[in-house]
């Protein structure tokens, strides 16, 4: 997780991230609120025994979205690391070799770095586990195509990392128009025994049926959410492991509030829920709890 140092609304991502909204606060107050939300969120995770590596943001680089590291890097069980091409020019500066060095010094073993970033020269993008919702057990990569998720790059990733691509387009209604959702992980999250997904975002019936079949065939209970709940970041969730291998589903307070009582009960049948207030980060950044965590599956050294 990257602690914010220059957080603000990023005008370069707002062109197709329709969840970002301006607020009438000073830059100082915005940053203070973002830092407070970040630190509280980390404390909530650590209290349950979730291991968190916090790295300070890089001052002076103008990287307002650095708090969302999962878009530029992903870590895998075989020791491989993927670096991803980013849509916004100012987000490309978030990729920092020293972050990988720090993770290695924290006891993790990096074998290979697979770098897709040259695709930026061709205006092609695939933004990490924002674009990709990975079922690491069943080796499936769920991907909603958009200007930030190129199909050819998705196929290349799946060939390199041995995943089966599950491809669709997810839409949201913006000013009465159906426009692609910028990141898959806004409308979908996959846990070990369940999946949270906005099926009504998938307008194509064949694509929707294909997605449902993959999830059901893998034995996952499907918890369907609405487009309004997607706006509340109910799909932007991540299952993590805490003390004594206990599973938790991590989300923001707004996501938790957007779920119905029945939905909360269903989730709790699979794992406990952890949530924290991320209102400022969500409003200005257009991302939530899941986006703030780049989960580490790398093997330990020795």
């Amino acid at each position: 997780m990257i602690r914010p140092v220059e957080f603000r609304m990023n005008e370069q991502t707002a062109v197709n991230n329709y969840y970002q909204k301006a607020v009438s606060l000073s830059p100082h107050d915005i940053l203070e609120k973002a830092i407070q939300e970040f630190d509280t969120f980390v404390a909530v995770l650590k209290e349950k025994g979730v291991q968190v590596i916090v790295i300070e943001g890089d001052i002076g680089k103008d990287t307002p979205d650095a708090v969302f590291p999962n878009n530029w890097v992903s870590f895998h069980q075989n020791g491989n690391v993927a670096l991803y091409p980013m849509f916004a020019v100012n987000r490309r500066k978030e990729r920092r070799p020293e972050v990988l060095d720090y993770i290695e010094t924290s006891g993790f073993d990096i074998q290979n770095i697979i770098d897709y970033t040259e695709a930026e020269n061709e205006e092609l993008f695939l933004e990490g586990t924002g674009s990709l919702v990975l079922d690491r057990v069943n080796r499936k990569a769920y991907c909603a195509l958009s200007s930030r998720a190129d199909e050819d790059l998705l196929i290349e990733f799946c060939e390199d990392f041995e995943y089966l691509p599950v491809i669709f387009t997810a839409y949201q209604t913006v000013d009465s128009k159906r426009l692609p959702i910028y990141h898959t992980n806004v409308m979908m999250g996959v846990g070990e025994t369940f999946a949270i997904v906005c099926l009504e975002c998938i307008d194509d019936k064949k694509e929707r049926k294909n997605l449902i079949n993959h999830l059901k065939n893998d034995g996952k209970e499907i918890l369907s959410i609405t487009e309004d709940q997607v706006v509340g970041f109910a799909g932007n969730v991540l299952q993590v492991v805490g003390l004594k291998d206990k599973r938790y589903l991590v989300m923001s307070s707004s996501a938790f509030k957007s779920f119905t009582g029945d939905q909360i009960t269903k989730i709790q049948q699979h794992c406990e829920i952890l949530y924290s207030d991320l209102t400022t980060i969500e409003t200005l950044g257009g991302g939530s709890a899941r986006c703030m965590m780049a989960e580490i599956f790398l093997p330990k050294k020795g």
Side-chain angles (χ1 to χ4, degrees):
M1 296 179 70
I2 307 295
R3 196 166 186 261
V5 294
E6 296 178 325
F7 181 78
R8 59 175 172 78
M9 183 172 174
N10 187 351
E11 66 287 346
Q12 293 185 21
T13 56
V15 296
N16 52 27
N17 179 344
Y18 307 107
Y19 302 100
Q20 291 176 246
K21 294 177 177 62
V23 296
S24 55
L25 290 173
S26 70
H28 176 269
D29 288 345
I30 287 170
L31 180 58
E32 286 297 304
K33 284 180 175 290
I35 291 172
Q36 183 180 15
E37 289 174 3
F38 178 91
D39 289 344
T40 301
F41 183 29
V42 170
V44 167
L45 294 170
K46 287 185 172 181
E47 186 181 358
K48 295 296 184 178
V50 180
Q51 291 181 286
V52 184
I53 295 174
V54 175
I55 298 174
E56 287 290 321
D58 204 356
I59 296 175
K61 281 196 172 180
D62 185 31
T63 51
D65 285 327
V67 72
F68 304 130
N70 78 311
N71 298 141
W72 68 264
V73 65
S74 64
F75 305 97
H76 300 264
Q77 294 97 319
N78 61 0
N80 288 348
V81 173
L83 301 180
Y84 296 96
M86 309 277 279
F87 171 82
V89 174
N90 64 5
R91 292 211 65 189
R92 299 169 194 176
K93 294 179 286 185
E94 295 174 26
R95 297 189 295 255
R96 296 161 56 195
E98 63 267 29
V99 170
L100 304 185
D101 293 341
Y102 189 88
I103 286 169
E104 281 202 290
T105 62
S106 299
F108 294 96
D109 187 19
I110 294 176
Q111 291 287 327
N112 301 295
I113 296 176
I114 300 176
D115 190 341
Y116 300 103
T117 60
E118 283 191 6
E120 290 166 353
N121 299 327
E122 302 174 54
E123 296 292 307
L124 300 175
F125 312 107
L126 187 70
E127 296 193 330
T129 53
S131 299
L132 306 167
V133 173
L134 301 179
D135 181 344
R136 295 176 185 256
V137 174
N138 295 294
R139 310 304 295 174
K140 292 181 182 178
Y142 294 89
C143 184
L145 300 180
S146 71
S147 56
R148 303 205 204 175
D150 177 76
E151 185 170 359
D152 289 338
L153 282 177
L154 164 66
I155 300 300
E156 186 178 349
F157 167 87
C158 288
E159 289 174 350
D160 291 340
F161 285 85
E162 299 181 343
Y163 278 84
L164 176 71
V166 182
I167 301 169
F168 54 95
T169 303
Y171 295 92
Q172 62 192 140
T173 301
V174 181
D175 297 330
S176 301
K177 296 178 183 177
R178 294 293 276 171
L179 300 176
I181 289 177
Y182 79 109
H183 275 165
T184 314
N185 75 358
V186 174
M187 50 75 64
M188 182 178 187
V190 175
E192 288 179 321
T193 56
F194 66 100
I196 294 172
V197 59
C198 181
L199 296 173
E200 63 186 49
C201 286
I202 306 172
D203 293 350
D204 187 289
K205 291 181 180 179
K206 287 183 179 179
E207 292 181 348
R208 190 188 315 149
K209 185 176 181 180
N210 182 53
L211 175 74
I212 291 170
N213 286 340
H214 275 284
L215 293 171
K216 284 187 174 179
N217 290 341
D218 293 332
K220 297 191 189 297
E221 181 180 5
I222 298 174
L223 180 63
S224 184
I225 56 175
T226 66
E227 288 187 42
D228 284 343
Q229 289 177 308
V230 170
V231 174
F233 294 101
N236 199 241
V237 297
L238 183 68
Q239 191 175 29
V240 302
V241 177
L243 206 59
K244 297 182 180 177
D245 275 345
K246 185 169 181 179
R247 269 57 174 168
Y248 299 93
L249 189 66
V250 180
M251 64 184 69
S252 69
S253 297
S254 62
F256 182 79
K257 291 173 186 174
S258 73
F259 283 112
T260 66
D262 286 344
Q263 288 172 328
I264 293 292
T265 300
K266 282 187 177 180
I267 294 170
Q268 289 174 333
Q269 289 170 355
H270 295 274
C271 62
E272 188 176 323
I273 295 172
L274 289 184
Y275 61 90
S276 190
D277 180 23
L278 301 171
T279 303
T280 306
I281 291 172
E282 288 176 328
T283 303
L284 287 148
S288 188
R290 192 274 168 270
C291 304
M292 296 170 67
M293 297 177 284
E295 64 274 33
I296 299 175
F297 282 87
L298 295 169
K300 289 286 186 75
K301 288 182 177 178

